[in-house]
Amino acid sequence: MFRVMLYSQWKWSRLIVLLGSVAGFALPIISVQGAARADSSPLQAAELLRTVQSWGVLYPVLAATLGLLVAIASWTPDHRGRHVYALVLPVPRWRYVLLRFGAGALLLAAPITAVLVGALLASWSAAIPAGLQGYPVALAVRFALAVLVAFAVFFAVSAGTARTAGIVLALIGGVMLVQVIANVARVDLDLVGKLQLVVLNWPGPLAIFTGRWMLIDV
Amino acid sequence: MFEHLDARSPTPLYAQIANRIRVGIAAGELRPATPLPSVRHLAAQLRVNPATVVQAYRELETDGFVEMRQGSGTFVREVAPDRRARERAQQATVLVREMLARAGHIGVSLQELQVAIAEEIGVATS
Amino acid sequence: MCRKRWVLLPLGLACARGLIGQELPRLQARADSLAREWRHAAAVADAIDSLERARVFVGHDTIRVGALTIVTNASPLPLREAAVRAWPLIDSVYGDDARQLEERPYAIVPVDPDTTVERPPRHNGTEIPWDQDVASLTLLLLSTVPVAPADTALQRWLGGEVRPLIHADVERAGVYVRLVTAPFEASRRCLIGDISACRDALDLFGRGDPVARWYRSARERRSVVLNTFTGYFDRGTHLATLQACANGSDSACTQLLRSLPPGGLPRPLTHDARTTLVDVALHLGGRDAYHRLAASVGLPIADRLAAAGGIAIDSLLSRWRAEILASRPTPVSLPPWGLWIALGWTILFAVFGLRSSRWRVN
Amino acid sequence: MTNAIEIHNLRYRAGKAFEIRDLELHVPHGAIYGFLGPNGSGKTTTMRLMLGLLRPLAGRITVLGDEIPRDVAHILGRVGFVPEQPHLDPILTVRETLAFHAAFYSTWDWSWAERLLRQFDLQDRQPFGRLSKGQKGKLMMLLALAQRPELLVLDEPTDGLDPVVRREVLSALLDYVSQRQATVFISSHLVHELERFCDWVGVMDDGRLITEVPMERFKNGIKRLRVSGAPRTPADGPFVVLAREPTNGSGETWLVRDWEPRMASYFDGPGVSLHEVIDLDLEDGFVELLRTFRGPRA
């Protein structure tokens, strides 16, 4: 059962998974290009960190994009059939959702592995200055978690009806509206800021995306 | 053989099927010991309910035209020649009755009908 | 008294300036002692002033925690809690010298942060809005400890007064990053384990040319000139030299760097590196370490630190380096429980997917 | 258990315009049950309720002895469903679609599937999305049959198919039914088709079941009578008069239900005569039934 589910989702998301894997493999390697040239100048360490950090921004972006696209691809066949076929299959709903989720998560293992391999290769090939260290495994683990969280969030949204999406949007819109009204009425209320704080900081759901993403760091 | 089954006719489908087979046997088209198509096959072919086919075969069996052997199918039985002749005569009667009924329906008189028959036969034989 | 001390200082400075070149260290020492006297006098005057002022208010208060003394008015400020937190740190840095705080109290004037009423100008004491919390108050107490100021040589080397480190580990982590990333050979070699390089980077060599000691390669010198001082040299007589330096002449770069006024040349390691070094020395030296450091005016800084720590300067630097390396910051900002939280969110959202209203056709 | 499907007192609402009320429905085991009704009468909704795709407001649905929606996953494993619109994963090929479907059904019969594949002339490698309407219809039927269900629920399975494909599909269905003694619940606009093989008929209109009878009784029971000299007010006959219309002259045409030939004696009174009993086929009967059902309210 899982095999056929995996196959169907693979057919839908193979392009995304392949491109994501290529990007995930290339990203760590490109990010240490500065270190690849054998240069023992003391200027190198700072410069390397800067390069690594500027490329590091792309890891959470890649993770979020992959999570989003694979989550959408996971539900596309069902959305196309307006879920009739899915509902007629003789499996309990929770099991069906679990199959879809598991298949999507397993497909995401490919880009995650690509990041791990790329990071290992990059930190192995780069001439890392003294005092700095490569963190390929930590980076890959973090990437994996970010991808999973993004996938789960968009999976849940995508599983919902247009009504669910509408409710989510209405909630966000409501918060904005209250904020605007508060501003106009000169009430000291920073809802958006608070929300951001809750969502983007530990243990918020999106905290995994924030912070520096360094393949090479002190 | 079953080309002209008409589900819309008031004659039930099983009767129509049984009739065709009866005529076939009477006309000598179906020789004794010839196997009839299986219920499954005939139902699929005619797109009728298998129960209808079974009912038709049952009727033929009670009439003594076929015998149903457990597990191997349905076979045409040996039918005495006079019985076959009687059957044919019966079919002819049915046809004529149908014709008369139709004629009555559309207002064709008996004479006109007779003339038409004579002409048709004359044309056919000449 | 006020008048007198204003006269004293310019006089001393004028003398010192006039005699420069003859006996610089001796004069500097004199200036130091004069300045010290002046500051001491000023502090005593301030304390007396503040006590006098405080007496005017009803319900004034003197908080004592250890030797730490705070003169203040009744207010909602959690000063006692802050003092309780600050005192162990202060005691651990100044040791026996912290006793002098009994005579040198903090004068703190709590003010209403929201009031718009004009207040009379204050000559002394620190005005603090009374909505501050304990943490920021502690910070304030630690950064303004009213011990007698150090001599100028120490201040100039350190870049400020000797103060307790509030978050020593964070500071050391910062120094580690600086050691690793500073674009200077000296700091890099120090990181790798060359103690003499540490000495250079921390500005602890006796005599010598700082330009050559701090910037060992032509490339470093050039990059310092071009990155930091282009705007400064980009005029007048230096312009041609600057261009020569930009075109690759090392002697031009060196010449430019040497022409900077004393103290103008940036040191490879920043203030926090030296602060952590002093911290190490003081903790090694025991309760009278600070006293030894303050008393050894006139000696080279390296010797003073060695004296304070009671250990040879190279050993002190090794200890310092070891502590810095031990404080290497955690690199990937994923807390240890982050893994479980992320997985928890994943499961939670997956369950949301399960509970979707999609499970009926409509 | 005598009935494959039993529905009691079912109520369902979707929006303000549409409602299913007090629906009672019984499909005997082994029957081929034709489900008739005009567009929008609630046939598709009833089928979806039956398979647990929708949740009723009230009432009880029992399918193959188990209750919907409690045992829905278990029941669905024994039911082959062909929905109104084919809606399989468009990217999967025919062969992959089969494999996908097969993975979910323990009763799946690969050799039967292969035979149907050849019989229906479907190309293994073609993606479902690129199949023609006829091919899609054949594939849907193939899937439903090859899982060897005890019950087939078919919602307009031949709708929009050309006659050749329609015959192929129905032949395969009947072949399967005679082999397996499966129950079939089928809705179709093509009444002639149903007339050939259904043994039960249910007629639905406006969310209500008008009638549910064996096919023979439906076909033989609805007659048009040409009568003259009948009393003005309809007397209580042994049959139900659905409608009476004056024809040219003194005669009247009656539409009756539950007719039996012996009832001709009812017209043996003085001055009354029954001129003719006209047979209606299923379609005529269906149309007349709907007309009279709606008539009083129109």
Side-chain angles (χ1 to χ4, degrees):
Chain A
M1 229 180 262
F2 184 68
R3 217 169 44 80
V4 292
M5 196 65 105
L6 186 66
Y7 183 79
S8 117
Q9 268 169 248
W10 159 247
K11 267 199 123 174
W12 277 101
S13 48
R14 56 189 165 184
L15 194 66
I16 303 160
V17 168
L18 280 179
L19 288 180
S21 299
V22 171
F25 180 73
L27 191 50
I29 290 181
I30 294 171
S31 72
V32 296
Q33 275 311 296
R37 36 172 217 267
D39 183 352
S40 60
S41 149
L43 295 170
Q44 194 202 345
E47 194 188 317
L48 177 63
L49 284 185
R50 229 182 351 264
T51 322
V52 167
Q53 186 167 4
S54 62
W55 281 101
V57 180
L58 291 181
Y59 290 106
V61 173
L62 180 65
T65 313
L66 272 173
L68 169 71
L69 293 181
V70 172
I72 290 174
S74 296
W75 283 120
T76 312
D78 289 342
H79 284 331
R80 290 281 179 94
R82 302 186 58 229
H83 289 258
V84 171
Y85 183 61
L87 287 166
V88 171
L89 287 175
V91 279
R93 288 286 61 89
W94 61 268
R95 212 161 138 205
Y96 188 80
V97 175
L98 217 60
L99 285 172
R100 281 252 178 261
F101 188 84
L106 192 62
L107 287 175
L108 284 170
I112 290 168
T113 316
V115 166
L116 177 65
V117 172
L120 284 171
L121 217 64
S123 52
W124 172 70
S125 68
I128 300 175
L132 295 185
Q133 269 188 28
Y135 296 95
V137 177
L139 183 80
V141 166
R142 202 170 158 209
F143 182 77
L145 290 175
V147 166
L148 274 182
V149 169
F151 174 64
V153 169
F154 293 119
F155 183 85
V157 173
S158 193
T161 44
R163 213 175 112 219
T164 325
I167 290 170
V168 171
L169 281 180
L171 270 176
I172 295 172
V175 168
M176 294 285 184
L177 192 72
V178 169
Q179 182 68 63
V180 167
I181 290 170
N183 286 355
V184 169
R186 293 172 186 260
V187 176
D188 186 20
L189 181 75
D190 187 13
L191 264 184
V192 175
K194 274 194 188 112
L195 204 70
Q196 212 173 339
L197 220 65
V198 166
V199 170
L200 287 177
N201 284 294
W202 290 104
L206 302 186
I208 188 85
F209 291 94
T210 58
R212 302 191 317 156
W213 290 70
M214 306 291 280
L215 170 60
I216 291 173
D217 205 345
V218 290
Chain B
M1 177 164 190
F2 299 101
E3 295 80 18
H4 299 293
L5 276 191
D6 183 9
R8 310 170 68 176
S9 135
T11 315
L13 272 173
Y14 79 90
Q16 292 184 44
I17 294 170
N19 229 8
R20 294 300 146 98
I21 295 171
R22 213 180 274 127
V23 170
I25 294 170
E29 218 177 304
L30 290 170
R31 310 216 137 266
T34 313
L36 289 181
S38 71
V39 171
R40 186 180 149 191
H41 181 81
L42 197 58
Q45 193 201 335
L46 301 180
R47 282 165 289 117
V48 298
N49 199 317
T52 308
V53 179
V54 172
Q55 204 179 350
Y57 284 8
R58 285 250 163 76
E59 196 186 74
L60 289 171
E61 194 181 29
T62 29
D63 288 357
F65 280 87
V66 301
E67 78 178 308
M68 289 166 97
R69 291 186 207 145
Q70 201 61 43
S72 51
T74 311
F75 298 87
V76 176
R77 276 174 74 162
E78 180 76 59
V79 180
D82 61 321
R83 175 111 197 255
R84 288 192 354 221
R86 216 165 48 231
E87 186 61 37
R88 278 203 299 276
Q90 224 167 54
Q91 287 301 328
T93 314
V94 169
L95 279 176
V96 170
R97 271 195 198 142
E98 264 173 35
M99 188 170 71
L100 288 177
R102 292 283 310 278
H105 224 103
I106 56 178
V108 177
S109 70
L110 202 60
Q111 264 125 2
E112 284 163 329
L113 214 56
Q114 276 170 331
V115 169
I117 289 172
E119 262 178 27
E120 275 297 308
I121 292 168
V123 167
T125 49
S126 65
Chain C
M1 182 153 184
C2 268
R3 210 180 184 79
K4 215 182 273 177
R5 69 189 188 201
W6 279 115
V7 175
L8 264 173
L9 184 68
L11 195 76
L13 288 176
C15 284
R17 186 163 294 171
L19 296 171
I20 270 173
Q22 292 178 16
E23 282 175 280
L24 194 64
R26 206 174 59 81
L27 285 172
Q28 199 174 347
R30 267 201 67 191
D32 269 345
S33 82
L34 282 173
R36 202 158 56 235
E37 284 305 317
W38 173 67
R39 286 206 193 89
H40 184 76
V44 171
D46 286 352
I48 292 164
D49 271 6
S50 89
L51 290 170
E52 277 170 356
R53 287 196 67 84
R55 217 163 283 143
V56 174
F57 299 104
V58 185
H60 78 278
D61 196 6
T62 302
I63 296 166
R64 284 182 195 282
V65 176
L68 191 151
T69 316
I70 302 170
V71 179
T72 182
N73 301 334
S75 78
L77 276 175
L79 274 169
R80 179 166 294 279
E81 291 92 319
V84 167
R85 285 195 195 180
W87 170 246
L89 282 168
I90 292 171
D91 187 50
S92 76
V93 168
Y94 299 107
D96 292 340
D97 270 24
R99 285 284 135 212
Q100 54 176 285
L101 288 179
E102 284 169 2
E103 283 114 46
R104 304 172 73 93
Y106 292 89
I108 287 173
V109 184
V111 294
D112 180 352
D114 297 327
T115 189
T116 48
V117 177
E118 284 274 330
R119 288 189 295 274
R122 233 166 259 285
H123 305 293
N124 46 57
T126 318
E127 287 192 353
I128 301 175
W130 61 44
D131 56 355
Q132 296 272 343
D133 61 355
V134 183
S136 51
L137 262 184
T138 312
L139 216 69
L140 188 95
L141 293 183
L142 289 173
S143 56
T144 59
V145 187
V147 287
D151 54 291
T152 36
L154 184 60
Q155 276 194 32
R156 190 179 300 149
W157 172 76
L158 188 59
E161 294 287 347
V162 177
R163 295 283 182 238
L165 291 184
I166 297 140
H167 299 295
D169 47 343
V170 175
E171 303 250 352
R172 281 198 290 270
V175 175
Y176 181 91
V177 173
R178 180 73 190 162
L179 261 189
V180 170
T181 58
F184 305 114
E185 184 74 22
S187 67
R188 292 200 56 68
R189 294 184 70 87
C190 175
L191 173 79
I192 294 163
D194 179 351
I195 297 301
S196 77
C198 293
R199 213 191 253 252
D200 287 352
L202 286 162
D203 191 11
L204 287 173
F205 50 92
R207 294 179 179 278
D209 175 16
V211 173
R213 289 240 177 187
W214 290 341
Y215 314 119
R216 295 193 173 186
S217 68
R219 193 171 156 177
E220 286 171 54
R221 288 188 283 273
R222 192 160 159 262
S223 97
V224 168
V225 171
L226 296 181
N227 290 338
T228 320
F229 293 109
T230 313
Y232 181 79
F233 291 127
D234 198 11
R235 60 178 68 84
T237 50
H238 291 306
L239 192 59
T241 331
L242 179 67
Q243 251 144 28
C245 174
N247 289 335
S249 160
D250 182 38
S251 60
C253 296
T254 313
Q255 190 194 330
L256 283 176
L257 289 175
R258 289 212 173 105
S259 73
L260 284 168
L265 197 59
R267 288 179 279 194
L269 291 179
T270 42
H271 167 254
D272 48 353
R274 293 184 291 278
T275 323
T276 49
L277 179 62
V278 171
D279 192 54
V280 172
L282 292 181
H283 280 98
L284 275 177
R287 291 199 62 78
D288 54 350
Y290 181 77
H291 186 74
R292 286 201 298 275
L293 182 67
S296 57
V297 184
L299 291 176
I301 300 290
D303 297 349
R304 296 178 68 183
L305 288 176
I311 159 177
I313 184 67
D314 281 358
S315 318
L316 178 66
L317 286 171
S318 302
R319 290 289 288 265
W320 170 78
R321 184 177 162 274
E323 286 205 12
I324 296 297
L325 291 192
S327 304
R328 157 204 273 284
T330 43
V332 178
S333 54
L334 182 65
W337 33 266
L339 176 77
W340 305 113
I341 289 188
L343 285 179
W345 282 114
T346 305
I347 292 167
L348 185 74
F349 281 109
V351 170
F352 281 165
L354 242 173
R355 297 250 44 96
S356 161
S357 54
R358 185 57 101 177
W359 301 126
R360 302 283 144 211
V361 172
N362 39 34
Chain D
M1 199 64 223
T2 49
N3 288 329
I5 304 173
E6 271 191 39
I7 294 180
H8 289 297
N9 204 11
L10 184 74
R11 204 155 74 79
Y12 175 80
R13 241 181 119 85
K16 279 179 185 159
F18 182 74
E19 191 180 16
I20 285 180
R21 276 156 300 168
D22 315 322
L23 189 70
E24 300 274 339
L25 199 135
H26 310 82
V27 179
H29 260 294
I32 301 182
Y33 189 107
F35 197 39
L36 302 181
N39 287 330
S41 58
K43 287 180 300 186
T44 297
T45 306
T46 307
M47 287 180 162
R48 287 182 169 180
L49 283 161
M50 219 177 253
L51 298 175
L53 303 192
L54 297 171
R55 230 176 248 278
L57 290 175
R60 227 184 97 185
I61 305 172
T62 316
V63 176
L64 297 174
D66 287 320
E67 219 167 293
I68 293 278
R70 207 187 54 210
D71 305 310
V72 71
H74 177 232
I75 292 169
L76 287 175
R78 300 153 67 197
V79 177
F81 178 52
V82 173
E84 207 173 356
Q85 247 130 41
H87 47 51
L88 298 174
D89 193 339
I91 210 173
L92 293 183
T93 64
V94 168
R95 168 77 42 185
E96 287 160 358
T97 304
L98 256 57
F100 189 92
H101 197 77
F104 287 90
Y105 293 91
S106 56
T107 48
W108 180 263
D109 182 347
W110 267 113
S111 63
W112 183 238
E114 298 287 354
R115 240 185 68 191
L116 285 174
L117 209 55
R118 277 197 306 276
Q119 199 178 318
F120 285 164
D121 196 24
L122 289 169
Q123 304 296 314
D124 268 1
R125 301 272 185 80
Q126 222 167 346
F128 180 78
R130 298 243 193 88
L131 296 180
S132 68
K133 197 159 185 194
Q135 288 169 316
K136 280 183 183 168
K138 286 196 274 190
L139 184 57
M140 297 306 296
M141 185 58 90
L142 188 158
L143 291 179
L145 292 180
Q147 77 188 56
R148 306 193 65 79
E150 293 167 46
L151 169 67
L152 280 150
V153 176
L154 313 172
D155 191 1
E156 310 275 0
T158 56
D159 188 34
L161 304 187
D162 65 64
V164 180
V165 174
R166 204 156 64 218
R167 283 188 179 205
E168 278 183 86
V169 166
L170 291 177
S171 291
L173 171 69
L174 289 161
D175 186 14
Y176 176 75
V177 168
S178 53
Q179 193 197 130
R180 185 76 209 300
Q181 310 298 316
T183 312
V184 179
F185 186 81
I186 179 170
S187 80
S188 179
H189 286 308
L190 301 163
V191 182
H192 306 315
E193 223 169 66
L194 298 185
E195 198 166 4
R196 283 179 90 94
F197 53 76
C198 287
D199 38 24
W200 273 79
V201 187
V203 179
M204 198 166 185
D205 190 32
D206 195 28
R208 276 184 289 177
L209 197 72
I210 304 173
T211 185
E212 183 185 53
V213 287
M215 176 68 99
E216 285 308 312
R217 255 184 70 200
F218 186 88
K219 270 182 75 175
N220 294 337
I222 295 192
K223 301 284 180 194
R224 200 180 275 134
L225 309 180
R226 290 230 334 265
V227 191
S228 61
R232 292 274 147 178
T233 48
D236 327 327
F239 46 83
V240 182
V241 179
L242 294 170
R244 42 193 292 183
E245 287 159 5
T247 38
N248 45 347
S250 60
E252 269 186 7
T253 304
W254 289 17
L255 188 71
V256 298
R257 216 174 79 180
D258 300 339
W259 175 261
E260 282 173 40
R262 60 177 174 79
M263 293 172 188
S265 58
Y266 173 75
F267 295 96
D268 286 349
V272 184
S273 63
L274 174 62
H275 295 290
E276 199 178 6
V277 178
I278 302 167
D279 297 311
L280 295 178
D281 62 13
L282 183 62
E283 185 167 352
D284 294 336
F286 167 63
V287 170
E288 293 294 349
L289 195 64
L290 279 185
R291 198 162 60 87
T292 55
F293 175 71
R294 290 174 171 189
R297 289 181 299 137

